[in-house]
C-alpha cells in the first residue's frame, strides 16, 4: 500500500497536481498497489482530487484520521468525534481574535466568522460560539491570518490541550482532533480490514500531522521541505516538492516508464 498526504506532497499549496506525478499515481494503482490518500482535508475537500486521479474504489483517510470513507460511491466507514466545548472556550479566552470552525462531515463547516478565501470549501454557516460547541464534532479548526505558525505553537502550549490531538499547519492553522486520532490510527484500521502488513506500507508526507504516519509505516518518507521534526520522524527524506521529491521516491519502487 502507498499512503500519500495531499497538500505539499502530491499537490502544491495552490492545489496544483503535477501531471507526471498524477500519471505515476494512476499507474501504481493500475499495477495493483492500493493507493490511499491520507490527509488533513475534509472529505468534501478531497473528493475533487480523488475524481481527478480516478483511483479504484477504496478508502480515503480524511480529517487527520477522524474520518475514513469509501469512494465511489461515498460511504463513511469510520467517524470519531469529541465534545469541542472546552477547547472552544479556551480558544475564545486566550485568542479572542481567532477564527474557529467545526467540520460538518460531507457538507462543509459551521464557523464563527468567514475564513480567508480558499481556506475552506463546502457549505459555510456562520453561527454563534454556543452553536459551535453544542454537539460532538470530528475536529475544530483554529485560524488567525495575522499570526505565524510559531505563534500557534505557543498558543497550543498555552491552551494546555489535554484529551485531544492537535496539529500545527504550514500556515497559522491549528487542527484539533479527538484524543489518539491521527493518520496512522486510521491507516492501521485500513490495513487490518484489507489484510495488509504495515511493514508493506510506503508513506509520504510533509506536515506535522504526518509524523505518526511516517513512524508507523514500513517506510516513511518526508519531503525535503518538511519541518525538521517531520524529517527526523521519517525513515528517509526525499527532495522538496518543487524538486519532484514525491515522484523520485515512487520511482524507486515502481516501474513508471
Amino acid at each position: 500500500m502507498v499512503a500519500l498526504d495531499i497538500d505539499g506532497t502530491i499537490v502544491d499549496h495552490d492545489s496544483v497536481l503535477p501531471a507526471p506525478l498524477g500519471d505515476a499515481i494512476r499507474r501504481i494503482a493500475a499495477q495493483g498497489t492500493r493507493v490511499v490518500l491520507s490527509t488533513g482535508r475534509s472529505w468534501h475537500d478531497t473528493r475533487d482530487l480523488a475524481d481527478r486521479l480516478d483511483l479504484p474504489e477504496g478508502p480515503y483517510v480524511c480529517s487527520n484520521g477522524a474520518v475514513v470513507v469509501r469512494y465511489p460511491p461515498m460511504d463513511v466507514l469510520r467517524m470519531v468525534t469529541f465534545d469541542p466545548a472546552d477547547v472552544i472556550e479556551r480558544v475564545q479566552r486566550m485568542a479572542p481574535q481567532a477564527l474557529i470552525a467545526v467540520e460538518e462531515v460531507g457538507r462543509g463547516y459551521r464557523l464563527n466568522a468567514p475564513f480567508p478565501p480558499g481556506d475552506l470549501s463546502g457549505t459555510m454557516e456562520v453561527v454563534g460560539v454556543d452553536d459551535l460547541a453544542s454537539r460532538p464534532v470530528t475536529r475544530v479548526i483554529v485560524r488567525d491570518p495575522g499570526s505565524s505558525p510559531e505563534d500557534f505553537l505557543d498558543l497550543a502550549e498555552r491552551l494546555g490541550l489535554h484529551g485531544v490531538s492537535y496539529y500545527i499547519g504550514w500556515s497559522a492553522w491549528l487542527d484539533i482532533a479527538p484524543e489518539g486520532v491521527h493518520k496512522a490510527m486510521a491507516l492501521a484500521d485500513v490495513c487490518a480490514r484489507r489484510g495488509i502488513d504495515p511493514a508493506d506500507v510506503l508513506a509520504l508526507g510533509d506536515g506535522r500531522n504526518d509524523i505518526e504516519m511516517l513512524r508507523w509505516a514500513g517506510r516513511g518518507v518526508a519531503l525535503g521541505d518538511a519541518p525538521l521534526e517531520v524529517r527526523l520522524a521519517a525513515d528517509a527524506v526525499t527532495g522538496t516538492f518543487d524538486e519532484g521529491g514525491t515522484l523520485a521516491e515512487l520511482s524507486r519502487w515502481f516501474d513508471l516508464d
Side-chain angles (χ1 to χ4, degrees):
M1 187 173 84
V2 175
L4 296 170
D5 171 52
I6 293 181
D7 295 285
T9 300
I10 63 172
V11 304
D12 65 18
H13 292 301
D14 293 316
S15 289
V16 175
L17 170 68
L21 180 55
D23 290 343
I25 293 169
R26 294 183 195 97
R27 188 164 299 179
I28 290 167
Q31 292 172 6
T33 296
R34 184 164 296 281
V35 176
V36 177
L37 301 186
S38 183
T39 179
R41 292 187 181 197
S42 63
W43 166 243
H44 60 268
D45 284 325
T46 304
R47 184 172 55 193
D48 177 66
L49 181 59
D51 288 337
R52 280 189 279 160
L53 287 170
D54 194 26
L55 297 173
E57 177 186 331
Y60 291 82
V61 171
C62 303
S63 304
N64 288 319
V67 177
V68 179
V69 306
R70 181 174 57 231
Y71 180 79
M74 191 274 199
D75 181 31
V76 177
L77 301 177
R78 179 185 179 97
M79 183 168 67
V80 185
T81 62
F82 74 110
D83 182 349
D86 181 61
V87 165
I88 290 173
E89 187 278 328
R90 291 183 186 210
V91 172
Q92 282 276 286
R93 178 161 38 88
M94 297 185 183
Q97 79 287 356
L99 306 175
I100 305 172
V102 296
E103 183 178 355
E104 294 287 302
V105 175
R107 296 192 299 275
Y109 300 89
R110 287 178 290 128
L111 53 165
N112 68 338
F115 274 50
D119 269 11
L120 303 174
S121 70
T123 301
M124 307 290 170
E125 182 184 3
V126 177
V127 300
V129 173
D130 288 345
D131 186 282
L132 291 181
S134 65
R135 55 188 183 269
V137 298
T138 53
R139 66 170 170 169
V140 174
I141 299 170
V142 182
R143 181 82 160 92
D144 182 2
S147 297
S148 68
E150 290 72 28
D151 293 330
F152 266 44
L153 285 168
D154 178 65
L155 174 62
E157 289 292 326
R158 290 189 290 112
L159 286 173
L161 294 173
H162 304 297
V164 296
S165 300
Y166 67 91
Y167 306 96
I168 309 296
W170 61 274
S171 59
W173 181 292
L174 177 63
D175 253 330
I176 303 169
E179 185 175 17
V181 169
H182 44 68
K183 295 181 181 184
M185 178 211 68
L187 288 167
D189 183 69
V190 169
C191 284
R193 291 171 184 264
R194 304 280 175 166
I196 298 171
D197 189 330
D200 296 326
V201 176
L202 168 64
L204 289 97
D206 76 311
R208 295 179 180 91
N209 60 339
D210 294 313
I211 287 174
E212 293 89 352
M213 176 178 76
L214 298 180
R215 288 175 174 160
W216 165 84
R219 180 172 171 84
V221 179
L223 275 289
D225 34 14
L228 177 61
E229 61 264 43
V230 180
R231 286 179 276 133
L232 291 175
D235 298 304
V237 178
T238 186
T240 66
F241 180 84
D242 289 341
E243 292 168 346
T246 304
L247 182 57
E249 177 64 22
L250 294 175
S251 298
R252 293 188 61 184
W253 309 103
F254 298 95
D255 180 7
L256 301 178
D257 293 331

